[in-house]
Amino acid sequence: MMKSLVMLSLLLTPLLFSFSNAALDPDSVYQSFLQCLPLQTTESADDLSSIVFSSTANSSAYTAVLQAYIKNQRLNTSSTPKPSVIITPTTESEVQAAVLCSKKVGVQIKIRSGGHDYEGISYISSDPDFIILDMFNFRDIDVNIADETAVVGAGAQLGELYYRIYEKSKVHGFPAGVCPTVGVGGHLSGGGYGTMLRKFGLSVDHIIDARIVDVNGRVLDRKSMGEDLFWAIRGGGGASFGVILSYTVKIVQVGEVNTIFRIMKTVAQNASELVYKWQSVMADIDDDLFIRVLLQPVTVNRQRVGRASFIAHYLGDADSLVALMTKNFPELGLRKEDCVEGSWIDSVLYWANFDNTTAPEILLNRHSDNINFGKRKSDYVQTPISVSGITSIFNKLVELGRLGFVFNPYGGKMNEIAPDATPMPHRAGNIFKIQYSIGWSDPDPELERNYLNQTRVMHDFMTPFVSKNPRGAFLNYRDLDIGVMTGDNYSEGKVYGDMYFMGNFERLVKIKTAVDPDNFFRNEQSIPTLPGKSSGKSRKMMK
């Protein structure tokens, strides 16, 4: 089954991304928006013209805006489909106008908050006519320590959110991702997790309100949108339902002292046995501890070997961490000198790969990351993998040559939250989540084909070890190999929908059908409407 799905996606993907020019003249689309936007808002035509970019009218600015938040060079080539227009709203009314005018002009709207989506579906389209609504100006953050909340714009980045919390309190944080340049809108609406996963759960578990522009151009909050839509945009992907303007989240207490460590072991140093033991240890160990494991091929004495890196974040001091590890995982051999103590913000900088001389202000740099070529996939493991199985995985990674794995442990808080509490269903019953990770810097197309093939070969190889019926996948690790929807095809959407959302998929479809029956908000892996419920208007606009 999985092989056939991969083959299908391999056939579809070149077709999906074969458009190099829009079917409509970009200049006519640009002019249509300049005429339409003033009719939908009280703002002046001059103000509105400053937020609309076209490859024909203001090409240099258009290119700069387009490329500013492309975070994967694989999706930034001369043949990559380009939008007719980019709109960079600064006010809620401009977002409303953009939505209404997109419907009137008859173009698909892609919503970008940070650009870290691994397949670029926030700024690339299989539709011949599309625009980008880039939310990077929506980055206001209001942190209230007294009631432990933060209101954060969809275009803000995680690093900015972390810094604004740090400004107000040294003992508060927020449970979200380790990469500081990830956009809040996509991260939170897709699930969101980080190194405090076992203590506090997912980012979506801490959302208490939101503001969204719906298909009719209305600005809705939690009360006016209703609990169904509010449920859907906390893990179901916001771009299927509207334009997220902001989220209100509960921040968490993280203590004065946090501790990190990194211990690396090759297969010759019993890495397979240690990874096997890690699987059982993390299920019941203190919820304050998160240990990620990286599996990768490395060169030692001119030979390629498998290596495991155990990287920890502990909400506590080094002495208590060493005592905890000595009791529960003595085989790893953790010593106090392996540990580094610091504040929570220090742990954020460490996990973002900054050295210990870097000031927290780097988190305000929206372009602090290095942009290379890359591909990601995901899986969930529900049954411990044997030592021999882990060794075979190491051998396969060495054979392939470049691909690596990131193992993220579950347990703790994740076991306490029902699978239907949010659309993200992968909770209790999962030992860990796998991220397949490969990156490169050479633009050679042959290398790209080779590296993408490595991810698919390894995904097939892992079939006996991972979840089944359906095989799980994580929405924020977008992967077009597992299925693509053309137009509004329920059966196509169900293929990837069951993997991302499992038993929650049907509820998402019903909500989608209720709030966006014509499937205006759509992408290659969006939520479809119920069969026969769409009026077909959106499909007419696509032609």
Side-chain angles (χ1 to χ4, degrees):
M1 177 64 176
M2 287 306 301
K3 286 183 179 179
S4 63
L5 288 178
V6 169
M7 289 304 298
L8 176 63
S9 68
L10 288 173
L11 291 171
L12 282 173
T13 302
L15 296 175
L16 281 169
F17 296 112
S18 62
F19 301 103
S20 59
N21 295 288
L24 294 175
D25 174 38
D27 190 59
S28 68
V29 175
Y30 174 71
Q31 295 299 330
S32 295
F33 272 95
L34 292 185
Q35 294 168 19
C36 177
L37 290 171
L39 302 178
Q40 304 294 341
T41 178
T42 59
E43 297 182 35
S44 72
D46 286 342
D47 288 341
L48 292 166
S49 66
S50 69
I51 66 167
V52 184
F53 300 88
S54 161
S55 60
T56 55
N58 43 16
S59 59
S60 60
Y62 165 92
T63 300
V65 172
L66 175 63
Q67 295 189 352
Y69 293 100
I70 292 179
K71 299 297 184 177
N72 189 345
Q73 292 291 3
R74 180 167 66 88
L75 310 170
N76 187 26
T77 70
S78 59
S79 61
T80 303
K82 305 297 191 296
S84 302
V85 163
I86 305 171
I87 301 178
T88 59
T90 59
T91 65
E92 291 185 352
S93 65
E94 290 172 354
V95 176
Q96 294 172 281
V99 169
L100 295 172
C101 289
S102 296
K103 292 172 66 178
K104 183 176 180 180
V105 174
V107 293
Q108 182 189 25
I109 189 169
K110 287 298 189 90
I111 307 157
R112 183 165 73 173
S113 65
H116 269 271
D117 54 322
Y118 289 131
E119 300 283 23
I121 62 175
S122 65
Y123 52 89
I124 299 174
S125 179
S126 54
D127 277 25
D129 305 309
F130 74 102
I131 72 163
I132 295 174
L133 186 65
D134 201 318
M135 299 296 289
F136 66 83
N137 288 316
F138 279 71
R139 54 181 186 260
D140 287 349
I141 301 170
D142 181 17
V143 177
N144 187 324
I145 296 300
D147 63 8
E148 296 186 318
T149 64
V151 180
V152 52
Q157 295 182 344
L158 294 182
E160 294 173 310
L161 174 59
Y162 298 156
Y163 185 84
R164 297 308 175 196
I165 296 172
Y166 157 78
E167 272 187 322
K168 298 285 185 72
S169 169
K170 304 303 182 282
V171 294
H172 283 85
F174 184 71
V178 301
C179 182
T181 59
V182 167
V184 165
H187 188 70
L188 267 65
S189 72
Y193 81 98
T195 64
M196 298 191 290
L197 170 82
R198 302 184 68 259
K199 177 71 171 181
F200 297 111
L202 303 173
S203 304
V204 292
D205 299 326
H206 300 266
I207 298 173
I208 58 174
D209 206 342
R211 290 177 68 80
I212 183 173
V213 174
D214 75 355
V215 71
N216 298 311
R218 300 175 299 174
V219 176
L220 306 174
D221 61 8
R222 178 175 184 173
K223 183 178 180 180
S224 55
M225 79 176 74
E227 288 302 302
D228 276 344
L229 181 52
F230 183 63
W231 176 84
I233 62 173
R234 289 179 296 138
S240 288
F241 303 96
V243 183
I244 305 295
L245 299 170
S246 67
Y247 281 113
T248 302
V249 299
K250 291 289 289 185
I251 62 176
V252 300
Q253 296 185 22
V254 294
E256 292 185 4
V257 179
N258 287 229
T259 305
I260 54 92
F261 71 73
R262 179 191 297 257
I263 292 178
M264 295 181 289
K265 300 288 186 180
T266 64
V267 171
Q269 297 169 318
N270 296 323
S272 296
E273 289 79 4
L274 291 171
V275 174
Y276 174 73
K277 178 66 181 290
W278 168 87
Q279 295 176 97
S280 61
V281 167
M282 294 310 300
D284 301 309
I285 206 166
D286 194 313
D287 295 354
D288 287 337
L289 178 60
F290 177 94
I291 304 177
R292 168 178 283 182
V293 180
L294 309 182
L295 271 58
Q296 58 196 139
V298 297
T299 300
V300 177
N301 296 327
R302 299 184 180 180
Q303 284 191 324
R304 295 294 277 175
V305 300
R307 185 180 72 189
S309 301
F310 297 81
I311 311 170
H313 178 201
Y314 178 62
L315 297 166
D317 62 37
D319 287 331
S320 59
L321 175 56
V322 171
L324 180 65
M325 291 292 288
T326 300
K327 177 183 177 181
N328 293 277
F329 199 180
E331 296 87 348
L332 194 60
L334 181 69
R335 305 164 300 169
K336 187 172 182 180
E337 50 264 43
D338 298 319
C339 301
V340 178
E341 292 182 334
S343 64
W344 178 75
I345 205 70
D346 290 331
S347 76
V348 167
L349 294 170
Y350 175 84
W351 278 83
N353 294 318
F354 296 116
D355 63 41
N356 58 10
T357 65
T358 305
E361 283 69 25
I362 190 68
L363 299 173
L364 299 177
N365 181 347
R366 295 174 64 85
H367 301 285
S368 62
D369 47 352
N370 294 317
I371 310 302
N372 287 316
F373 301 78
K375 171 71 178 179
R376 302 291 187 272
K377 300 174 81 68
S378 61
D379 261 315
Y380 288 88
V381 174
Q382 299 172 336
T383 303
I385 304 175
S386 66
V387 173
S388 61
I390 294 166
T391 299
S392 72
I393 291 170
F394 273 123
N395 291 339
K396 192 66 175 178
L397 290 174
V398 170
E399 173 192 326
L400 291 172
R402 193 172 188 92
L403 179 73
F405 274 154
V406 182
F407 289 178
N408 296 288
Y410 269 39
K413 188 70 173 179
M414 293 296 283
N415 287 341
E416 301 171 15
I417 301 172
D420 60 355
T422 70
M424 204 296 237
H426 308 290
R427 305 281 191 164
N430 293 291
I431 303 173
F432 60 96
K433 172 169 57 186
I434 300 176
Q435 181 189 80
Y436 300 64
S437 178
I438 193 165
W440 64 98
S441 57
D442 191 326
D444 182 356
E446 187 59 38
L447 276 180
E448 177 175 321
R449 283 190 287 272
N450 174 32
Y451 293 150
L452 294 181
N453 185 60
Q454 286 190 30
T455 68
R456 293 158 182 154
V457 169
M458 197 70 202
H459 192 261
D460 187 57
F461 178 85
M462 291 297 293
T463 302
F465 304 114
V466 300
S467 61
K468 300 169 179 65
N469 304 316
R471 184 171 184 168
F474 180 47
L475 183 64
N476 273 354
Y477 294 168
R478 287 284 191 182
D479 178 12
L480 294 182
D481 290 345
I482 67 173
V484 171
M485 183 170 66
T486 53
D488 187 17
N489 188 312
Y490 171 86
S491 60
E492 290 177 343
K494 184 173 172 58
V495 174
Y496 58 80
D498 282 345
M499 297 178 72
Y500 288 139
F501 308 113
M502 305 187 83
N504 295 328
F505 175 67
E506 297 299 337
R507 183 180 176 189
L508 287 167
V509 171
K510 290 177 182 177
I511 295 169
K512 167 70 172 182
T513 306
V515 303
D516 184 17
D518 294 324
N519 193 32
F520 173 71
F521 290 110
R522 64 191 184 276
N523 58 56
E524 288 70 24
Q525 284 193 339
S526 57
I527 304 297
T529 62
L530 285 168
K533 297 295 184 180
S534 171
S535 70
K537 292 179 182 177
S538 292
R539 290 177 211 166
K540 290 176 184 177
M541 288 193 295
M542 290 168 59
K543 295 178 180 179

